[in-house]
Amino acid sequence: MNANKRVFQFIFFSLLLYLVFSYINIAYRKKWEPFDRINLISDVIVKPRENDALHQNRYTSGSKKVKQNNDEKKNDSLTMHSNASIDEAFMTASDSSKEKVIVSAEALPLNLNQSDIISFNIDSESVALSRFIKKLIALKNGKKTKVRIAYLGDSMIEGDLLSQTLRSLLQQAYGGSGVGFVPIASQVAQFRRTAIASSSANWRDFNFKNTKKQDLFISGHVFFSSGNDWVKIKDNTSKDTSIVLGKYLLHGPATDSASVVVNKKTMMLERTSLFNRTLVAHNKDKSIVVSSADRKLPLFGLSFESDQGVIVDNFSFRGISGLELGKINADLLKEINEQNPYDLIIFQYGVNVLYKPDDTNFTWYKRAAIPVVKKMKACFSKADVLIVGTGDRAFRYPEGYQSAVGIEALIKEQAALAKQTDCAFFSLYAAMGGKNSMVNWATQNPSLANKDYVHPNALGAKLLAKHLFEAINKQVKKSENTNLNGTD
């Protein structure tokens, strides 16, 4: 009885304490970050919004001008509107002085042109993602090389959504074949169409959600056999049977006796680095079967790729914010960079950061994300990095489904993150159409998004990928024109 009484008292006083903090937060507007999310009585207390007038007019038509002090801005080159495109912002620069403009993350127009990539720390005439763009141009001009892209994201890209269209468009324009990375096992394997995969049920999957001890791959997973496990994968990106693809097994350190069976043939694995890329087949076959009985051999997945051209690897992990990437062993990342170097790393996160309808403060996310992005940049020192701002997300308010009240605040923090880490920035929110685009996408016919008002569907993802592809091509054309004119 005494033990039960102590449990009851603990629960009672804990609940009482939470209620007190909830009341203080609402009644006195007290702010202390550890208790920002405590609000047990939000459903029974009607809170007046500090910016009710702004909230009521958020969705009216027309653009709102950003107020500026004309005296202070007389010699500046930008006069920006919140719905103006970045190209329009550049056009307001003084024609007589022809000064180069450096874009401000703080003054970022939220409805950019749907195919704009911005680099905040270079002027408007310079090329964003310049190293990556130069390699694309080299491919275009006939150089036999690989250009590799890591597309990292949450459920918005799972099943290869968005990245599959980007891959297809880039390979059509610049060459290359193959689906790239495919994990050993996936909860969306039946949903994905670019790779037809099946596997045994007993693989041990260590990942961002269930371990802190294992050396996880960029995908957030590492797999171990339970004693006799297999995976069968078919590259489904092309029907051309004449294409030769290399099939690479991506794995961790192998012991002296480590082996796998590839298409019924035993293959010894002798590499002992934290990351290893072993060629297990190089032919016209679309499918491969790999089995392992080694309980200690860490396996990440397989990669299907041509000998040259663009390779796009999809690394989706449902329900994360991107901060989890900070858990990956830096030495493992450096090994990946040595054997499997990336030219462009894309970060697309945010929908799992904005998970409460009234959240408007995301400075905490930017602070936490800065060291993660810097770590990735340090480990992949030759890669350009593109931060993709979150797409629109809608919640049900008293007025009905509308864009989240904090969506623009989050995008500004993501833009500031890009600026402070010297990365380029692309806005999915702008690509979707800005405010209330998610509601429009979900309700139009044919629809472009699911009725959860969070996820674009296959048609919507395809459209977004086209905008991103067009944005990359803009930078290619800018670089080509710059070289043609003989300017830096």
Side-chain angles (χ1 to χ4, degrees):
M1 288 296 294
N2 289 337
N4 291 337
K5 184 177 180 180
R6 286 196 297 270
V7 171
F8 172 79
Q9 290 175 338
F10 175 78
I11 295 174
F12 175 78
F13 286 110
S14 296
L15 180 61
L16 182 63
L17 188 63
Y18 271 80
L19 286 170
V20 169
F21 276 111
S22 298
Y23 177 76
I24 291 174
N25 281 346
I26 292 174
Y28 297 100
R29 297 289 185 181
K30 297 298 182 182
K31 290 292 183 182
W32 186 35
E33 186 170 337
F35 293 96
D36 277 350
R37 299 189 182 278
I38 295 177
N39 191 353
L40 297 182
I41 55 177
S42 62
D43 290 337
V44 296
I45 297 293
V46 178
K47 297 185 297 180
R49 288 192 178 95
E50 294 177 356
N51 56 345
D52 265 344
L54 174 61
H55 179 73
Q56 294 297 327
N57 294 306
R58 278 175 56 81
Y59 308 105
T60 58
S61 60
S63 61
K64 298 180 181 180
K65 295 184 179 179
V66 177
K67 294 181 180 180
Q68 296 180 337
N69 187 314
N70 291 332
D71 293 334
E72 292 179 358
K73 299 293 181 180
K74 186 192 314 181
N75 297 321
D76 287 352
S77 55
L78 287 179
T79 302
M80 306 185 78
H81 298 266
S82 64
N83 290 330
S85 74
I86 199 68
D87 291 335
E88 291 170 342
F90 289 152
M91 289 172 64
T92 63
S94 170
D95 290 334
S96 58
S97 63
K98 296 187 182 299
E99 294 179 0
K100 296 179 179 180
V101 179
I102 296 180
V103 185
S104 165
E106 291 75 15
L108 174 72
L110 293 166
N111 283 358
L112 303 170
N113 185 288
Q114 289 179 318
S115 55
D116 279 326
I117 290 176
I118 307 167
S119 282
F120 298 105
N121 300 324
I122 62 175
D123 62 70
S124 59
E125 296 180 11
S126 298
V127 178
L129 306 173
S130 58
R131 291 179 294 186
F132 168 68
I133 297 301
K134 285 179 181 178
K135 291 197 171 185
L136 278 185
I137 293 174
L139 268 181
K140 186 178 179 180
N141 292 334
K143 185 175 181 180
K144 295 181 179 181
T145 186
K146 282 187 183 180
V147 175
R148 194 180 297 277
I149 300 171
Y151 204 126
L152 294 87
D154 49 32
S155 59
M156 300 286 281
I157 67 165
E158 70 179 5
D160 211 11
L161 286 182
L162 203 153
S163 49
Q164 65 184 4
T165 302
L166 180 64
R167 178 190 301 111
S168 177
L169 292 172
L170 286 171
Q171 289 180 343
Q172 289 174 28
Y174 301 99
S177 301
V179 70
F181 174 77
V182 182
I184 294 294
S186 169
Q187 60 183 331
V188 295
Q190 301 304 314
F191 169 69
R192 185 172 185 170
R193 291 293 173 262
T194 52
I196 309 301
S198 57
S199 61
S200 56
N202 295 322
W203 286 103
R204 292 176 293 150
D205 175 10
F206 296 94
N207 57 66
F208 284 145
K209 299 290 188 179
N210 65 16
T211 187
K212 296 181 180 179
K213 299 179 180 180
Q214 301 293 335
D215 285 329
L216 303 179
F217 190 51
I218 308 175
S219 62
H221 296 265
V222 60
F223 299 90
F224 293 87
S225 172
S226 293
N228 187 22
D229 289 293
W230 56 270
V231 57
K232 179 180 181 179
I233 302 174
K234 177 185 178 182
D235 186 305
N236 202 37
T237 56
S238 174
K239 295 182 180 179
D240 188 345
T241 57
S242 66
I243 295 175
V244 174
L245 293 177
K247 291 86 172 175
Y248 295 86
L249 181 65
L250 310 183
H251 60 91
T255 61
D256 293 338
S257 59
S259 67
V260 292
V261 177
V262 180
N263 293 338
K264 300 183 179 180
K265 294 182 180 180
T266 301
M267 176 176 291
M268 300 301 296
L269 300 177
E270 300 176 352
R271 301 184 181 185
T272 58
S273 300
L274 287 174
F275 172 79
N276 303 279
R277 172 181 160 89
T278 300
L279 181 66
V280 293
H282 187 265
N283 50 41
K284 298 177 184 179
D285 294 342
K286 299 287 187 180
S287 299
I288 192 168
V289 180
V290 176
S291 59
S292 172
D294 191 332
R295 296 173 181 267
K296 296 182 179 180
L297 177 64
L299 296 176
F300 306 128
L302 289 121
S303 182
F304 296 71
E305 54 194 74
S306 54
D307 295 336
Q308 60 193 53
V310 178
I311 309 299
V312 179
D313 293 337
N314 174 287
F315 296 114
S316 63
F317 196 111
R318 182 183 299 180
I320 67 171
S321 65
L323 301 181
E324 293 81 357
L325 295 166
K327 301 176 182 178
I328 302 176
N329 184 346
D331 291 332
L332 173 59
L333 293 174
K334 291 174 183 177
E335 288 282 354
I336 297 171
N337 185 50
E338 288 294 321
Q339 298 188 47
N340 203 77
Y342 287 101
D343 301 293
L344 176 64
I345 298 177
I346 301 175
F347 292 88
Q348 182 183 318
Y349 298 99
V351 70
N352 296 304
V353 178
L354 184 61
Y355 62 92
K356 289 189 177 181
D358 292 322
D359 281 353
T360 56
N361 186 351
F362 302 98
T363 54
W364 65 269
Y365 178 70
K366 182 188 69 177
R367 288 197 305 269
I370 285 174
V372 176
V373 174
K374 286 184 175 180
K375 175 181 178 178
M376 296 295 287
K377 289 191 69 174
C379 294
F380 295 96
S381 57
K382 295 182 180 180
D384 283 326
V385 177
L386 175 64
I387 292 177
V388 175
T390 185
D392 191 26
R393 174 173 187 168
F395 289 99
R396 187 169 185 173
Y397 296 103
E399 303 88 349
Y401 278 101
Q402 296 179 342
S403 292
V405 295
I407 190 75
E408 295 179 356
L410 174 57
I411 294 167
K412 285 186 177 181
E413 293 297 343
Q414 290 179 310
L417 169 65
K419 180 179 180 180
Q420 291 184 34
T421 55
D422 197 21
C423 299
F425 181 77
F426 177 81
S427 174
L428 276 189
Y429 180 71
M432 289 182 68
K435 292 179 182 178
N436 276 340
S437 54
M438 176 55 74
V439 178
N440 296 333
W441 277 34
T443 56
Q444 71 181 53
N445 187 19
S447 66
L448 297 175
N450 300 325
K451 285 293 181 69
D452 62 0
Y453 298 97
V454 177
H455 297 93
N457 60 23
L459 285 177
K462 186 175 183 179
L463 180 60
L464 293 175
K466 287 181 177 178
H467 287 312
L468 180 52
F469 172 73
E470 289 167 0
I472 291 172
N473 267 355
K474 270 190 178 182
Q475 300 304 316
V476 170
K477 292 175 182 177
K478 181 185 284 190
S479 180
E480 290 175 330
N481 291 336
T482 300
N483 292 333
L484 186 63
N485 296 328
T487 57
D488 295 329

